[in-house]
Amino acid sequence: MKSNPVIPEPYAALPKGKRKSGQELRYGLLFASPVLIGYLLFVLFPIVASIYLSFTTYSVGTLPKWIGTANYETLFSGADPFFYPAVTATFYYVFVSVPLGIVISFFMAVLLNQKIKGRAFFRGVFYLPVIIPLAASSMVWMWLLQPDFGIVNYVLELLHLPTSQWLGDTTSVVPTLILFSFWTLGNTIVIFLAGLQGIPAHLYDAIEIDGGGRFHKLFYITIPMSSSIIFFNTVIAFINGFQAFVQPSVMTQGGPNNKSLFYVLYLFNEGFKSSRMGSASAIAVLLFLVIALFTAVIFFFSKSLVYYEGKGGKS
């Protein structure tokens, strides 16, 4: 005859529901432990280490030496001649490319959502650049935009239109990088397209019954019902814009005259080319704070601008 298992007194005293929930918690933590450990080792620990190193002078192979806020004072005082040019170039790029990119992506998604011939083909064409590695696209466009023998200037000459130095001139380098950023809008367009397809058709039917046209549908149905998708894409675009690195690194190396020295490229040069990891950590911490601030501002304004259907109105 089998004997009944002996349950420890403290555990046996617990209600059955609490015992079950505690067991589920342990199993949940066990199965989630690989992700949690990975997050602690590869995300949280590097963040904490970067904050600490930003208050030190440190290069690879040496021990960090505490110097307080000296790295931040060097940056804000202008003693580092590259800090403010990098901030200026990055803000210029972000605050022009992001709004234009959102508008272009949205209206391209609206067009691709229409019932036209070859719609699937055009959707694939607009998404195709996303599949190509950004470094490879940057190299191709760098050759296309070459001032002397690039095909873009050649076509402009054939059409008797003014040519440009594109990436070779201080006034046109950032606008050129902004134009290049539109080449990789495929992800944003696809997300917008998915949101547009989720808008109920009876809302458009109601507009038509009331005598409304395309513009009424756009401004009273499409844009309000897509506001949550616009909000999401705007946040992601701002975060990606502040972290732009591959394009200036491959196409301009920060030139000419540091006009395209974007912030992350400046961070990379400071940490890995100049081996000033303490200063690079301070630059990274400031970038984190700026991204967090702008994300918080966007979330704040979204409360009165974003419509969530499940909540019955704006958030």
Side-chain angles (χ1 to χ4, degrees):
M1 181 180 295
K2 293 184 179 180
S3 59
N4 294 326
V6 178
I7 301 176
E9 188 64 29
Y11 186 77
L14 291 174
K16 187 176 181 180
K18 289 187 176 181
R19 278 186 281 169
K20 185 177 181 181
S21 63
Q23 189 178 34
E24 290 177 350
L25 176 62
R26 286 194 298 272
Y27 279 119
L29 291 175
L30 175 64
F31 287 113
S33 59
V35 176
L36 295 175
I37 293 172
Y39 177 81
L40 291 173
L41 290 178
F42 301 111
V43 178
L44 188 60
F45 174 74
I47 291 175
V48 175
S50 295
I51 295 173
Y52 167 73
L53 292 175
S54 69
F55 295 100
T56 68
T57 177
Y58 169 65
S59 61
V60 177
T62 64
L63 293 175
K65 182 180 178 182
W66 184 267
I67 57 172
T69 59
N71 287 326
Y72 296 97
E73 293 171 5
T74 300
L75 295 175
F76 287 112
S77 66
D80 187 336
F82 301 110
F83 176 70
Y84 285 110
V87 171
T88 302
T90 305
F91 272 70
Y92 177 17
Y93 174 80
V94 169
F95 284 99
V96 176
S97 66
V98 171
L100 287 178
I102 293 296
V103 172
I104 293 171
S105 300
F106 180 77
F107 283 101
M108 291 307 303
V110 171
L111 292 175
L112 292 173
N113 197 41
Q114 305 302 312
K115 295 180 180 180
I116 57 176
K117 292 183 178 180
R119 181 171 61 174
F121 169 76
F122 287 113
R123 289 177 179 177
V125 168
F126 279 100
Y127 189 74
L128 185 62
V130 179
I131 302 174
I132 303 172
L134 189 55
S137 296
S138 300
M139 288 293 296
V140 171
W141 277 100
M142 184 174 63
W143 295 331
L144 294 175
L145 296 171
Q146 215 285 333
D148 298 323
F149 54 82
I151 192 172
V152 175
N153 273 354
Y154 175 73
V155 172
L156 291 175
E157 288 177 354
L158 291 178
L159 298 174
H160 302 288
L161 295 174
T163 60
S164 173
Q165 292 294 311
W166 301 112
L167 298 169
D169 187 77
T170 56
T171 59
S172 62
V173 60
V174 176
T176 302
L177 291 172
I178 291 171
L179 288 174
F180 174 72
S181 70
F182 302 151
W183 172 253
T184 57
L185 289 176
N187 274 332
T188 310
I189 293 173
V190 168
I191 295 172
F192 272 133
L193 190 57
L196 292 173
Q197 291 177 345
I199 298 176
H202 66 81
L203 297 177
Y204 294 113
D205 296 336
I207 288 284
E208 291 182 357
I209 293 172
D210 291 337
R214 292 183 177 180
F215 285 100
H216 294 91
K217 292 179 181 179
L218 177 64
F219 288 103
Y220 291 103
I221 300 296
T222 305
I223 293 179
M225 293 296 292
S226 302
S227 58
S228 60
I229 307 298
I230 296 172
F231 165 66
F232 171 80
N233 280 332
T234 301
V235 172
I236 298 301
F238 265 105
I239 293 173
N240 291 336
F242 279 115
Q243 298 182 86
F245 170 73
V246 175
Q247 308 94 306
S249 176
V250 173
M251 301 174 78
T252 66
Q253 293 79 48
N257 197 26
N258 296 320
K259 291 298 182 179
S260 64
L261 182 66
F262 288 179
Y263 197 85
V264 176
L265 178 59
Y266 165 55
L267 189 159
F268 175 84
N269 291 341
E270 190 74 6
F272 294 96
K273 288 189 175 181
S274 301
S275 297
R276 291 191 288 265
M277 288 293 181
S279 176
S281 297
I283 296 168
V285 170
L286 292 176
L287 176 63
F288 172 78
L289 294 176
V290 168
I291 292 176
L293 174 63
F294 276 95
T295 303
V297 170
I298 295 172
F299 267 89
F300 175 78
F301 285 105
S302 73
K303 295 178 181 179
S304 59
L305 297 174
V306 178
Y307 175 88
Y308 292 101
E309 187 176 4
K311 295 182 178 180
K314 295 179 180 180
S315 61

